[in-house]
Amino acid sequence: MKYIDEFRDGAAARRVADTIAAEARPDVAYNFMEFCGGHTHAISRYGISGMLPANVRMIHGPGCPVCVLPIGRIDLAISLALDRGVMLCTYGDTMRVPASENLSLIKAKARGADIRMVYSAADALKLAEQHPDREVVFFAIGFETTTPPTALVLREAQARNVPNFSVLCCHVLTPAAITHLLESAEARELGAVPIDGFIGPAHVSIIIGSEPYVHFAKTYHKPVVITGFEPLDVMQGILMLVRQMNSGRAEVENEFSRVVTPTGNQAAQKVMAQVFELRQSFEWRGLGEVPHSALKIRPELAAWDAEVKFGLTYASVPDHKQCECGTILRGIKRPADCKLFGTVCTPETPMGSCMVSNEGACAAHYSYGRFQDMAVVTA
């Protein structure tokens, strides 16, 4: 299959679905987590859950970088714009994430803060060069996928000596989050991890490769299949997980071999290592403090580190009491289990981050959830 349409072929999808139904043992429960929000979106959009047997369940994971961003980090960004008068630049999805005091970045902008949506960190650096009299801060979020561009821009800012540019770094790491899910308090309380295998993220794996997941397969005996985002990619990945469980295997398999390699993009990894180092701990929305799960800017680049430059101190802020975003991110609940879903909380009036981003589980279910009980993959 070489073209996009072929990865969305309805007849081929039904054949894979029939194979899954034939090979899934009726007396076995198959609980698979798709870590990445892009996969959650694909599963909802194409009605994949409705094509699976009842005992093959897909669990939504915390692989949406906007969703896992805690309120306290957004508060820091808002404070920089409102109280320090910086020009704050960030990606579009971040603009509407709810923060403290009924604020968000877009609401802070309406109050007069200079907050600008950009398409890349390079856009923010360009604005800093165009406005040498202003402090420009790039609010950097994302998993390993968006980290290399931030690293390159930080290195460029240092090389060009742009003193009025800095980065508020909130880049997080996938493997640490998976480890945390497998060793969470809920898992220990139950005495077993209610996840039988993982659909591994695609874009992240392009950067880090497939090798980092071997630890989960060996240590926790959880199979991992890295898949692409097209419906046939996802369905083939589910079939591969079913077959691993049936044969008692726990290995890392790469369905997305047309892009992902075992060692990943080593040039990108090198520039990340030059610019960033591990944080001891970082708060994730829904997961709490996760050890060694995020990056900070190295001391050699402290002049371009907004946390150092502005003396920022992080403070944790609890989520809305009725919002189930945290439990949804941990895979414990589904969007429809939240009392606010689709009523008080909609994409136009989000109460939690899961309803904001296109990769958020709540946003995906809101847009496509009415198709969950039918197969809608079409040619």
Side-chain angles (χ1 to χ4, degrees), residues 158 274-277 296-305 308:
Q158 182 187 41
Q274 290 172 345
V275 173
F276 299 112
E277 63 184 14
K296 63 179 179 179
I297 299 169
R298 287 187 176 277
E300 308 91 86
L301 291 156
W304 294 273
D305 184 345
V308 175

Short mmCIF file of all heavy atoms in Angstrom, two decimals, residues 158 274-277 296-305 308:
data_model
loop_
_atom_site.label_atom_id
_atom_site.label_comp_id
_atom_site.label_asym_id
_atom_site.label_seq_id
_atom_site.Cartn_x
_atom_site.Cartn_y
_atom_site.Cartn_z
N GLN A 158 21.30 31.26 20.89
CA GLN A 158 22.62 31.41 21.51
C GLN A 158 23.65 31.83 20.48
O GLN A 158 24.46 32.74 20.72
CB GLN A 158 23.04 30.10 22.16
CG GLN A 158 24.37 30.17 22.88
CD GLN A 158 24.84 28.81 23.37
OE1 GLN A 158 24.72 27.80 22.66
NE2 GLN A 158 25.38 28.76 24.59
N GLN A 274 22.17 17.92 23.55
CA GLN A 274 23.05 19.09 23.68
C GLN A 274 22.37 20.24 24.42
O GLN A 274 23.03 21.00 25.13
CB GLN A 274 23.48 19.56 22.29
CG GLN A 274 24.44 18.62 21.58
CD GLN A 274 24.68 19.04 20.14
OE1 GLN A 274 23.95 19.87 19.58
NE2 GLN A 274 25.72 18.48 19.53
N VAL A 275 21.05 20.36 24.26
CA VAL A 275 20.33 21.53 24.76
C VAL A 275 19.59 21.24 26.06
O VAL A 275 19.48 22.12 26.92
CB VAL A 275 19.34 22.04 23.68
CG1 VAL A 275 18.45 23.14 24.22
CG2 VAL A 275 20.13 22.53 22.47
N PHE A 276 19.08 20.02 26.24
CA PHE A 276 18.23 19.70 27.38
C PHE A 276 18.85 18.65 28.29
O PHE A 276 19.70 17.87 27.87
CB PHE A 276 16.86 19.19 26.91
CG PHE A 276 16.08 20.16 26.10
CD1 PHE A 276 15.85 19.93 24.74
CD2 PHE A 276 15.55 21.31 26.67
CE1 PHE A 276 15.12 20.83 23.98
CE2 PHE A 276 14.82 22.21 25.92
CZ PHE A 276 14.60 21.98 24.57
N GLU A 277 18.37 18.64 29.54
CA GLU A 277 18.69 17.59 30.49
C GLU A 277 17.42 17.20 31.23
O GLU A 277 16.41 17.92 31.19
CB GLU A 277 19.77 18.05 31.46
CG GLU A 277 19.37 19.22 32.33
CD GLU A 277 20.53 19.70 33.20
OE1 GLU A 277 21.68 19.30 32.95
OE2 GLU A 277 20.27 20.47 34.14
N LYS A 296 14.51 19.99 30.95
CA LYS A 296 14.77 21.38 31.25
C LYS A 296 16.00 21.82 30.46
O LYS A 296 16.80 21.00 30.01
CB LYS A 296 14.99 21.60 32.75
CG LYS A 296 16.19 20.90 33.34
CD LYS A 296 16.31 21.20 34.83
CE LYS A 296 17.50 20.49 35.45
NZ LYS A 296 17.64 20.78 36.90
N ILE A 297 16.13 23.12 30.31
CA ILE A 297 17.23 23.67 29.53
C ILE A 297 18.52 23.60 30.33
O ILE A 297 18.54 23.89 31.53
CB ILE A 297 16.90 25.13 29.14
CG1 ILE A 297 15.62 25.15 28.29
CG2 ILE A 297 18.05 25.77 28.38
CD1 ILE A 297 15.05 26.54 28.08
N ARG A 298 19.60 23.20 29.68
CA ARG A 298 20.88 23.05 30.35
C ARG A 298 21.40 24.39 30.88
O ARG A 298 21.10 25.45 30.31
CB ARG A 298 21.92 22.43 29.40
CG ARG A 298 21.69 20.95 29.12
CD ARG A 298 22.83 20.37 28.30
NE ARG A 298 22.65 18.93 28.13
CZ ARG A 298 23.01 18.01 29.02
NH1 ARG A 298 23.59 18.39 30.16
NH2 ARG A 298 22.82 16.72 28.79
N PRO A 299 22.19 24.35 31.96
CA PRO A 299 22.71 25.58 32.56
C PRO A 299 23.50 26.46 31.58
O PRO A 299 23.50 27.69 31.71
CB PRO A 299 23.61 25.07 33.69
CG PRO A 299 23.05 23.73 34.04
CD PRO A 299 22.55 23.16 32.76
N GLU A 300 24.14 25.84 30.61
CA GLU A 300 24.92 26.62 29.64
C GLU A 300 24.04 27.57 28.83
O GLU A 300 24.53 28.53 28.23
CB GLU A 300 25.66 25.69 28.68
CG GLU A 300 26.50 24.62 29.35
CD GLU A 300 25.73 23.33 29.58
OE1 GLU A 300 25.69 22.49 28.65
OE2 GLU A 300 25.15 23.18 30.68
N LEU A 301 22.73 27.28 28.79
CA LEU A 301 21.79 28.10 28.03
C LEU A 301 20.82 28.82 28.96
O LEU A 301 19.72 29.18 28.55
CB LEU A 301 21.02 27.21 27.04
CG LEU A 301 21.84 26.65 25.88
CD1 LEU A 301 21.21 25.38 25.32
CD2 LEU A 301 21.98 27.68 24.77
N ALA A 302 21.23 29.04 30.19
CA ALA A 302 20.34 29.64 31.19
C ALA A 302 19.84 31.02 30.77
O ALA A 302 18.74 31.43 31.15
CB ALA A 302 21.06 29.73 32.54
N ALA A 303 20.63 31.74 29.98
CA ALA A 303 20.23 33.09 29.54
C ALA A 303 18.97 33.04 28.67
O ALA A 303 18.27 34.05 28.52
CB ALA A 303 21.36 33.76 28.78
N TRP A 304 18.68 31.87 28.12
CA TRP A 304 17.50 31.71 27.27
C TRP A 304 16.44 30.81 27.91
O TRP A 304 15.53 30.35 27.24
CB TRP A 304 17.93 31.17 25.90
CG TRP A 304 18.78 32.17 25.18
CD1 TRP A 304 18.36 33.18 24.36
CD2 TRP A 304 20.21 32.27 25.23
NE1 TRP A 304 19.42 33.91 23.90
CE2 TRP A 304 20.57 33.37 24.42
CE3 TRP A 304 21.22 31.56 25.88
CZ2 TRP A 304 21.90 33.77 24.23
CZ3 TRP A 304 22.54 31.94 25.70
CH2 TRP A 304 22.87 33.04 24.90
N ASP A 305 16.60 30.57 29.20
CA ASP A 305 15.65 29.76 29.96
C ASP A 305 14.73 30.71 30.73
O ASP A 305 15.16 31.40 31.67
CB ASP A 305 16.41 28.85 30.94
CG ASP A 305 15.49 27.91 31.71
OD1 ASP A 305 14.26 28.12 31.73
OD2 ASP A 305 16.02 26.95 32.31
N VAL A 308 14.58 30.51 34.59
CA VAL A 308 15.73 31.12 35.27
C VAL A 308 15.71 32.64 35.11
O VAL A 308 15.89 33.40 36.06
CB VAL A 308 17.05 30.53 34.72
CG1 VAL A 308 18.26 31.24 35.33
CG2 VAL A 308 17.12 29.04 34.97
#
